[in-house]
């Protein structure tokens, strides 16, 4: 509705295939709100198209400069569907570069329905993982409040508060009923924190380095920056390419190469204390998702495990069974892939703990 693509589809000038580009998000069939329940014409292979190629067709200008280092793109940079990898810093920038409206569409309600994203035990696992992270950080942080950037529904904040630590968050999509998560820009935040945490949020920001710089200023001497992001140069990213789980166009605006992140943190006066290619989570699932996505019909496993209201496309029970069965069969291969890439320090996510140097004298 917001651009030429959607209108073209609506007016029937594009053959009605099982994919629609609405705004900027790739919706294999349609949003839940407009979904026709169990339409007979819907294919059992809703994600047959290539999501990066589909995204690249949106009506927006190509990215002109690297969103990480500001380098003006020229012939030396590597162009792939939906992103351009900077020859100077190694970070890729989503291209075309979406406008605010297009990005808003990409975060439509299905991404974070109020009842939780995942079906069954998924949300419980998510909660448990945050709880483990909070307890671990609790042991290494100096006293003082923490700030969670991209706090979502506040699960991590709650975990800190249970441990008796003051915690607040910022998130543009904050639930107004949660007093601890504010819908403001990170750059509007002031104060002093024992840690600022970017848990899979840095890659969603338009100006990630500016955000890091601002966050660095909010950290007390001896405090920490904690960052977890997808590793865009991981084995799984290279292997699964346009269908890699964490490419997630256009919600991920930058696709980070770990050395660029580490050197940026050092430049901001932080000492790298720990780098893990496993702790950022989603490594095994990235493999599973990638392997299952290679099968006929390209099942989207991530979509399969979400609640039906949170899914990008409707999936028939038979197709879900096919995807889940494939995941079970692929599990040993995914486990081996995970072990290899983590051992080679090329895991699907990178997690960094960096401590702000105490000023001498
Ligand atoms: Zn760059």
């Amino acid at each position: 509705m917001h651009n030429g693509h959607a209108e073209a589809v609506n007016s029937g000038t594009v053959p009605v295939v099982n994919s629609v580009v609405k705004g900027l998000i790739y919706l294999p069939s349609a949003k839940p709100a407009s979904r026709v329940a169990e339409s007979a014409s819907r294919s059992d292979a809703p994600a047959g198209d290539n999501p990066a190629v589909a995204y690249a067709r949106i009506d927006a200008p190509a990215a002109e400069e690297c969103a990480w280092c500001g380098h003006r793109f020229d012939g030396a940079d590597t162009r792939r569907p939906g992103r351009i990898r900077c020859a100077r810093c190694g970070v890729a920038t989503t291209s075309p570069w979406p406008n605010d409206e297009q990005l808003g569409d990409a975060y439509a309600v299905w991404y974070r329905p109020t009842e939780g994203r995942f079906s069954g035990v998924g949300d419980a696992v998510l909660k448990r993982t945050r709880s483990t992270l909070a307890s671990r950080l609790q042991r290494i942080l100096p006293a003082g409040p923490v700030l969670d950037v991209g706090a979502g529904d506040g699960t991590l904040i709650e975990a800190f508060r249970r441990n008796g630590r003051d915690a607040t968050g910022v998130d543009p999509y904050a639930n107004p009923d949660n007093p601890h998560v504010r819908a403001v820009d990170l750059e509007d935040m002031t104060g002093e924190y024992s840690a600022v945490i970017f848990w899979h949020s840095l890659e969603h920001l338009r100006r990630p380095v500016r955000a890091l710089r601002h966050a660095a200023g909010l950290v007390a001497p001896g405090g920490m920056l904690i960052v977890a992001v997808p590793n865009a140069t991981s084995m799984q990213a290279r292997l699964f390419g346009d269908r890699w789980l964490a490419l997630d166009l256009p919600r991920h605006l930058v696709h980070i190469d770990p050395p660029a992140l580490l050197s940026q943190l050092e430049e901001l006066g932080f000492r790298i204390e720990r780098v893990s290619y496993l702790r950022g989570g989603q490594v095994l699932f990235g493999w599973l998702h990638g392997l299952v996505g290679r099968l006929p019909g390209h099942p989207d496993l991530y979509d399969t495990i979400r609640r039906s209201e949170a899914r990008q496309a409707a999936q028939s029970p038979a197709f879900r069974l096919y995807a889940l069965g494939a995941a079970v069969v692929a599990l040993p291969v995914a486990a081996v892939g995970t072990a290899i890439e983590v051992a080679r320090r090329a895991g699907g996510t990178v997690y960094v703990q960096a401590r702000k140097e105490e000023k001498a004298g």
Side-chain angles (χ1 to χ4, degrees):
M1 264 85 56
H2 302 305
N3 64 39
H5 292 285
E7 278 157 25
V9 171
N10 291 342
S11 64
T13 54
V14 169
V16 181
V17 289
N18 54 18
S19 64
V20 175
V21 176
K22 192 267 172 189
L24 91 74
I25 190 171
Y26 169 66
L27 294 178
S29 71
K31 262 186 202 181
S34 59
R35 192 162 91 196
V36 183
E38 298 310 314
S39 157
S41 63
R42 186 178 295 116
S43 164
D44 259 357
D49 209 350
N50 176 318
V53 170
Y55 170 70
R57 289 192 212 112
I58 69 151
D59 189 12
E64 288 178 358
E65 56 180 41
C66 173
W68 188 263
C69 77
H71 159 72
R72 298 283 301 181
F73 289 134
D74 54 39
D77 309 291
T78 311
R79 284 162 170 78
R80 292 273 179 273
R83 70 273 193 203
I84 302 172
R85 186 168 185 221
C86 176
R88 189 166 86 185
C89 74
V91 173
T93 298
T94 291
S95 179
W97 186 248
N99 63 36
D100 288 348
E101 189 181 31
Q102 290 168 322
L103 211 48
D105 281 352
Y107 287 102
V109 66
W110 62 262
Y111 186 56
R112 279 181 185 155
T114 47
E115 308 80 36
R117 272 180 283 175
F118 301 104
S119 54
V121 295
D123 275 318
V125 170
L126 204 64
K127 205 166 174 176
R128 174 91 187 269
T129 312
R130 295 296 184 276
S131 186
T132 309
L133 174 68
S135 311
R136 192 196 295 144
L137 292 179
Q138 190 69 5
R139 292 193 289 271
I140 58 166
L141 293 180
V146 301
L147 176 64
D148 184 13
V149 181
D153 59 8
T155 313
L156 181 59
I157 287 167
E158 279 165 37
F160 274 113
R161 289 186 163 267
R162 276 198 302 276
N163 283 319
R165 186 182 288 264
D166 186 19
T168 51
V170 292
D171 195 304
Y173 302 96
N175 178 345
D177 296 335
N178 187 335
H180 306 304
V181 183
R182 299 169 57 191
V184 298
D185 231 45
L186 168 65
E187 292 177 39
D188 294 331
M189 294 297 285
T190 55
E192 195 172 74
Y193 295 86
S194 63
V196 179
I197 302 167
F198 292 85
W199 190 261
H200 290 278
S201 57
L202 192 62
E203 67 274 24
H204 292 256
L205 302 179
R206 287 188 182 276
R207 285 187 286 235
V209 171
R210 237 174 79 164
L212 277 179
R213 194 173 299 129
H214 186 80
L218 297 175
V219 175
M224 304 187 89
L225 274 175
I226 307 292
V227 183
V229 293
N231 176 2
T233 50
S234 59
M235 275 176 64
Q236 57 178 266
R238 291 169 193 274
L239 190 61
F240 301 125
D242 291 354
R243 291 183 193 281
W244 181 43
L245 172 69
L247 195 56
D248 201 17
L249 300 169
R251 287 174 292 269
H252 291 180
L253 292 165
V254 286
H255 310 273
I256 298 168
D257 187 24
L261 174 62
L262 298 179
S263 62
Q264 186 59 55
L265 291 170
E266 285 173 342
E267 212 172 287
L268 291 169
F270 284 70
R271 189 176 66 251
I272 309 297
E273 282 193 354
R274 176 159 206 146
V275 181
S276 164
Y277 291 88
L278 185 61
R279 281 191 175 183
Q282 299 174 15
V283 180
L284 178 68
F285 188 75
W287 276 92
L288 270 181
H289 182 273
L291 291 169
V292 171
R294 290 206 150 189
L295 295 171
H298 303 296
D300 184 327
L301 187 62
Y302 182 65
D303 231 18
T304 299
I305 64 160
R306 289 154 75 99
R307 286 175 193 274
S308 57
E309 315 86 81
R311 252 170 241 149
Q312 300 195 44
Q315 293 185 352
S316 74
F319 194 75
R320 287 193 78 197
L321 203 61
Y322 163 54
L324 292 172
V328 171
V329 174
L331 188 58
V333 182
V336 171
T338 299
I340 293 172
E341 74 171 7
V342 169
R344 295 176 63 176
R345 302 182 68 71
T349 56
V350 59
Y351 165 92
V352 185
Q353 289 175 1
R355 199 176 292 270
K356 191 168 186 170
E357 306 278 8
E358 309 256 6
K359 283 200 176 64

